[in-house]
Amino acid sequence: SQQGEEDPQALSIQEGENATMNCSYKTSINNLQWYRQNSGRGLVHLILIRSNEREKHSGRLRVTLDTSKKSSSLLITASRAADTASYFCATDQAGTALIFGKGTTLSVSS
Amino acid sequence: GAGVSQSPSNKVTEKGKDVELRCDPISGHTALYWYRQSLGQGLEFLIYFQGNSAPDKSGLPSDRFSAERTGGSVSTLTIQRTQQEDSAVYLCASSYMDQPQHFGDGTRLSIL
């Protein structure tokens, strides 16, 4: 069963613009992670935010977590064509398997 | 070092045949996971191995699916009597302690 639900399902922007993706989940979590998947490839881990953290940065990525609303957002600043990919949020409830959302497909055009 | 390696990268087989998918995790990673990714379904957890503990098989969709992990390293996912709905990309991931999971590029399985 799905835990995370991302929105939007698809997002198209121009290079240089910011991209924001949202994720909602249903149950309490240990942490929430964001992954990127390029077409035909596996998932690449981007960033992990723990349940007691509210915001985290990594390069051009900024993740926020609101446990009261059971939601998270991923912001990619100054997007590049190479950022074109699908982005998934995944929740870790008990240190075992991750539960993934269905993803947001991001298209960045130059 | 090398990442998670999966083989074959693509597999086409006829309905009713058995298939074996292989995963070589990153050396030293104690946890190994199998997921299935299909259109419209997102990523589904199948099975999880942690060290020498009994695997968590709660995600396996039917008794046609099984997996083993030999020597705490290589894992094989077996699907018996394949059905068309088994067509999907099967992804393997490994991790160490509470570190993030590292994924292979998957096996794309097509059942004719």
Side-chain angles (χ1 to χ4, degrees):
Chain A
S1 62
Q2 302 301 125
Q3 161 80 306
E5 293 290 335
E6 292 95 337
D7 86 273
Q9 290 186 334
L11 180 60
S12 293
I13 59 174
Q14 298 285 318
E15 262 192 329
E17 294 180 337
N18 295 342
T20 299
M21 288 160 265
N22 302 297
C23 168
S24 60
Y25 58 93
K26 298 174 184 174
T27 63
S28 61
I29 59 173
N30 285 345
N31 63 65
L32 186 143
Q33 304 177 35
W34 285 90
Y35 285 80
R36 184 188 74 223
Q37 184 179 35
N38 291 88
S39 181
R41 304 299 301 274
L43 281 77
V44 174
H45 180 261
L46 295 176
I47 197 165
L48 180 154
I49 186 164
R50 301 194 185 281
S51 59
N52 61 353
E53 297 176 309
R54 292 297 168 258
E55 187 172 312
K56 204 160 184 181
H57 296 253
S58 176
R60 294 184 295 113
L61 305 181
R62 172 178 169 251
V63 168
T64 61
L65 179 64
D66 187 334
T67 53
S68 66
K69 295 181 179 178
K70 292 186 170 57
S71 67
S72 174
S73 68
L74 170 67
L75 168 68
I76 305 174
T77 60
S79 62
R80 306 166 181 168
D83 295 328
T84 294
S86 292
Y87 292 81
F88 296 87
C89 69
T91 53
D92 181 346
Q93 295 174 271
T96 58
L98 297 173
I99 303 176
F100 286 86
K102 293 187 177 181
T104 293
T105 300
L106 174 65
S107 177
V108 182
S109 53
S110 53
Chain B
V4 176
S5 177
Q6 291 188 245
S7 60
S9 54
N10 286 282
K11 177 73 176 179
V12 180
T13 192
E14 293 179 348
K15 177 182 171 181
K17 301 282 190 183
D18 297 351
V19 295
E20 285 190 351
L21 312 179
R22 177 186 168 104
C23 173
D24 281 274
I26 293 173
S27 178
H29 280 195
T30 54
L32 187 147
Y33 312 79
W34 283 98
Y35 297 88
R36 178 170 70 176
Q37 185 175 30
S38 49
L39 283 175
Q41 296 297 320
L43 275 138
E44 301 173 85
F45 161 70
L46 296 177
I47 188 169
Y48 158 60
F49 296 88
Q50 174 60 269
N52 295 321
S53 302
D56 177 356
K57 304 179 182 180
S58 61
L60 295 178
S62 78
D63 58 7
R64 296 186 296 106
F65 287 72
S66 63
E68 62 177 22
R69 188 178 185 192
T70 54
S73 181
V74 172
S75 177
T76 302
L77 176 69
T78 301
I79 309 173
Q80 295 178 309
R81 304 180 302 280
T82 51
Q83 303 294 315
Q84 288 190 329
E85 61 262 28
D86 300 334
S87 295
V89 177
Y90 290 81
L91 291 162
C92 175
S94 69
S95 68
Y96 177 72
M97 302 290 282
D98 62 347
Q99 297 301 305
Q101 296 178 26
H102 294 258
F103 283 78
D105 284 340
T107 293
R108 184 174 300 275
L109 177 64
S110 299
I111 309 300
L112 302 179

